Amino acid sequence: MERENAWKSYSEQDLAAVETLAQGYIDFLSTCKTERECARFAIDLAEENGYVDLKQVIEEKRPIRPGDRIWAHAQGKALMLVDVGADPFESGLNILGAHIDSPRLDVKQNPLFESNGFALLDTHYYGGIKNYQWVTVPLAIHGVVVKKDGSAVDVVVGEAADDPVFCVTDLLIHLASKQMGKKANEVVEGEDLDILVGNRPLVIEGDDGVSAGAADKGSPEAKRAKLAEKEPVKAYLLDLLAEKYGIEEEDFLSAELEVVPAGAARDCGFDRSMVIGYGQDDRVCAYTSLLAQLAIEEPAKTSVCILVDKEEIGSVGATGMASQFFENTMAEIMALAGSPGDIPLRRALASSSMLSSDVSAGFDPAYASVFEAKNSAFLGRGLVFNKYTGSRGKSGSNDASAEYMARIRAIMDEADVAFQTAELGRVDAGGGGTIAYIPAKYGMDVIDSGVAVLSMHSPWEVSSKADLYEAYKGYKAFLRGA
């Protein structure tokens, strides 16, 4: 049952649509490298398309009716879009769910230090990464610093053409004989992923400054001079941070700064058939899910798009899928629509259908031994359905029912969507999970569906423009017909 390559069936009109979608996606990948940036992008786009903040609706005690479009967020890092349909909520919802967090390096709360004339930031890696892939790669810093007065400073350094970038250094090959004999997971230790951020010392000269032995040793000037004497590179960097952002060292305590690969996503290949960029797990599915949700107008069943955080570390916390954000938001909307109470909510959730939109491992001929070709996802063959994920004996997996799989097949075929089915590699090669098992606890039908990706969880991942297009088509078909 080998699936046909989607490119073979495209008309000139299709090819133009593929390219238009891909260019929008490349722009999205290039500018939205954190969950906060993704959520902000989605909210702005939703409001342009008539979505209204749920908080505003609640404050105004406005009743919700079919045709209303509502958005809600959790701490600016998870987002729900709800397009209220004509059918009763208890008949079920059609739900697209993706995650907008990606593997990266997080700056620690007490990160800045000087060592042998260099200023560095200490980091803690987030999600599953191969540490050695992050050395000598140009890096950018994205995030927010919240000061004690509650004011927030947005930070993006390393993306503009005239911005500096940062890096984790590596050992020169001439001295690396011992390093080269280590296992891959030991070549670079997690605690050694320190970001190089400065090398210039602060110089305080003569009467222009205040010596470390000044009478008022507690004054800011005296502290600055003392630091310049002991750690001059760190002192110079703190001066720069104060000048540009108005922040001091203690403000790192209440900061969320994410270190990500610097630079824009790009076309990949002489034929420009692919996209290479950071964070395609899972922003390739988040972007297509968002656009599919916005494209649906006046659905019969209520359509929902939920973009969540923390999937890469177990979907935990207030912004992960395991939180009550999804359930609480639907409870609020149903109450305002005249269906309050726990029982109607439970019935609505149990009757729902969901696509857990997450990427799948694309077959890579360079590493063919870990794949089972008959049940692998191939770039260019369309939207991927994983009946189950997990590892070894399907551990940690949601296993979709045969009946639901049949319904999905019918919807995709009716909409002429190119799709394929896959597992995540050979049975004992490893494995992985998604958010699918979490909403499945409500009794709803859930299946994993997404885009095949090469080099998943690396700083630069690769996807097919054809698969991006088929995912968008497939998600729209699902919202219309499930």
Side-chain angles (χ1 to χ4, degrees):
M1 294 190 295
E2 183 173 316
R3 312 299 288 190
E4 188 77 8
N5 190 301
W7 289 103
K8 295 180 179 180
S9 64
Y10 288 160
S11 65
E12 289 299 319
Q13 185 177 0
D14 289 325
L15 291 172
V18 167
E19 197 57 36
T20 298
L21 180 65
Q23 290 310 308
Y25 173 58
I26 286 172
D27 291 343
F28 168 74
L29 274 186
S30 301
T31 56
C32 298
K33 294 188 176 182
T34 71
E35 58 279 8
R36 287 179 184 268
E37 290 167 347
C38 291
R40 191 178 303 129
F41 172 91
I43 290 168
D44 290 345
L45 202 55
E47 290 189 333
E48 289 175 13
N49 284 270
Y51 281 79
V52 179
D53 187 351
L54 177 60
K55 286 185 178 180
Q56 179 183 336
V57 177
I58 292 171
E59 288 172 2
E60 296 174 357
K61 297 180 181 179
R62 187 193 314 171
I64 288 178
R65 299 183 176 88
D68 284 345
R69 299 181 129 188
I70 310 296
W71 69 264
H73 74 91
Q75 300 183 4
K77 294 185 282 186
L79 175 73
M80 274 181 66
L81 304 181
V82 180
D83 196 335
V84 180
D87 294 349
F89 286 100
E90 292 183 40
S91 68
L93 321 167
N94 289 337
I95 306 165
L96 297 173
H99 68 91
I100 50 178
D101 61 315
S102 294
R104 59 180 188 260
L105 306 180
D106 282 344
V107 174
K108 291 184 179 181
Q109 266 56 65
N110 186 22
L112 183 59
F113 67 100
E114 180 173 331
S115 179
N116 299 295
F118 294 106
L120 301 111
L121 290 176
D122 204 357
T123 70
H124 193 134
Y125 64 85
Y126 173 96
I129 68 169
K130 294 178 178 177
N131 295 353
Y132 66 80
Q133 293 181 329
W134 288 75
V135 301
T136 68
V137 175
L139 299 171
I141 299 175
H142 291 229
V144 62
V145 179
V146 182
K147 298 192 281 190
K148 284 192 295 185
D149 63 4
S151 61
V153 180
D154 290 322
V155 176
V156 178
V157 186
E159 301 296 353
D162 59 349
D163 273 356
V165 294
F166 314 95
C167 73
V168 179
T169 60
D170 195 11
L171 182 61
L172 66 162
I173 188 65
H174 311 73
L175 301 177
S177 59
K178 185 176 179 181
Q179 182 193 52
M180 296 296 284
K182 292 182 178 181
K183 293 181 180 179
N185 64 349
E186 298 171 346
V187 170
V188 179
E189 299 287 345
E191 201 61 69
D192 294 333
L193 291 170
D194 299 326
I195 309 302
L196 184 62
V197 295
N199 181 231
R200 179 176 173 179
L202 176 65
V203 178
I204 299 178
E205 298 177 352
D207 296 334
D208 294 331
V210 179
S211 71
D216 185 4
K217 293 183 179 181
S219 70
E221 294 81 4
K223 289 179 179 179
R224 176 173 176 265
K226 185 175 182 180
L227 183 62
E229 186 177 301
K230 292 177 59 180
E231 299 177 286
V233 180
K234 176 179 175 179
Y236 188 80
L237 186 65
L238 286 172
D239 272 11
L240 289 177
L241 293 176
E243 179 183 345
K244 183 170 179 60
Y245 298 106
I247 61 176
E248 57 188 36
E249 185 173 10
E250 282 207 355
D251 290 328
F252 281 112
L253 295 174
S254 50
E256 290 180 6
L257 298 173
E258 302 178 13
V259 181
V260 299
R266 303 278 294 274
D267 286 344
C268 183
F270 282 120
D271 56 5
R272 299 180 179 268
S273 62
M274 296 167 287
V275 173
I276 185 168
Y278 164 70
Q280 298 201 65
D281 177 8
D282 181 37
R283 293 178 187 132
V284 65
C285 297
Y287 183 75
T288 46
S289 294
L290 171 64
L291 294 193
Q293 173 77 12
L294 297 179
I296 298 299
E297 296 181 356
E298 300 182 356
K301 283 190 175 183
T302 295
S303 63
V304 178
C305 176
I306 178 165
L307 306 178
V308 292
D309 183 23
K310 299 293 189 290
E311 191 276 342
E312 297 295 357
I313 59 170
S315 297
V316 295
T319 56
M321 191 67 210
S323 74
Q324 298 297 306
F325 170 56
F326 166 64
E327 185 177 332
N328 290 348
T329 301
M330 285 311 308
E332 292 278 9
I333 289 173
M334 288 179 63
L336 289 166
S339 297
D342 189 62
I343 294 301
L345 174 65
R346 300 296 165 189
R347 288 173 179 164
L349 297 180
S351 301
S352 296
S353 301
M354 180 176 182
L355 296 186
S356 170
S357 305
D358 207 341
V359 297
S360 193
F363 184 91
D364 189 336
Y367 305 100
S369 63
V370 298
F371 294 93
E372 194 270 286
K374 298 191 307 302
N375 289 286
S376 293
F378 288 81
L379 267 65
R381 297 186 187 178
L383 182 59
V384 183
F385 289 98
N386 294 87
K387 187 177 185 296
Y388 45 82
T389 53
S391 57
R392 297 176 299 280
K394 302 184 182 180
S395 176
S397 171
N398 167 68
D399 196 342
S401 71
E403 291 85 354
Y404 188 44
M405 186 69 210
R407 283 173 51 205
I408 294 297
R409 287 174 55 202
I411 291 169
M412 297 300 133
D413 285 345
E414 177 68 23
D416 197 27
V417 175
F419 73 93
Q420 54 187 317
T421 60
E423 296 184 16
L424 193 61
R426 295 180 68 87
V427 172
D428 286 326
T434 67
I435 65 172
Y437 73 96
I438 300 170
K441 71 182 180 181
Y442 297 114
M444 68 176 69
D445 283 315
V446 186
I447 190 169
D448 285 300
S449 71
V451 171
V453 169
L454 297 183
S455 306
M456 192 191 301
H457 279 217
S458 71
W460 297 97
E461 301 167 317
V462 177
S463 65
S464 166
K465 292 180 179 180
D467 297 337
L468 178 78
Y469 182 57
E470 296 302 326
Y472 171 62
K473 286 169 53 185
Y475 294 156
K476 283 198 301 181
F478 168 80
L479 291 178
R480 288 196 186 104

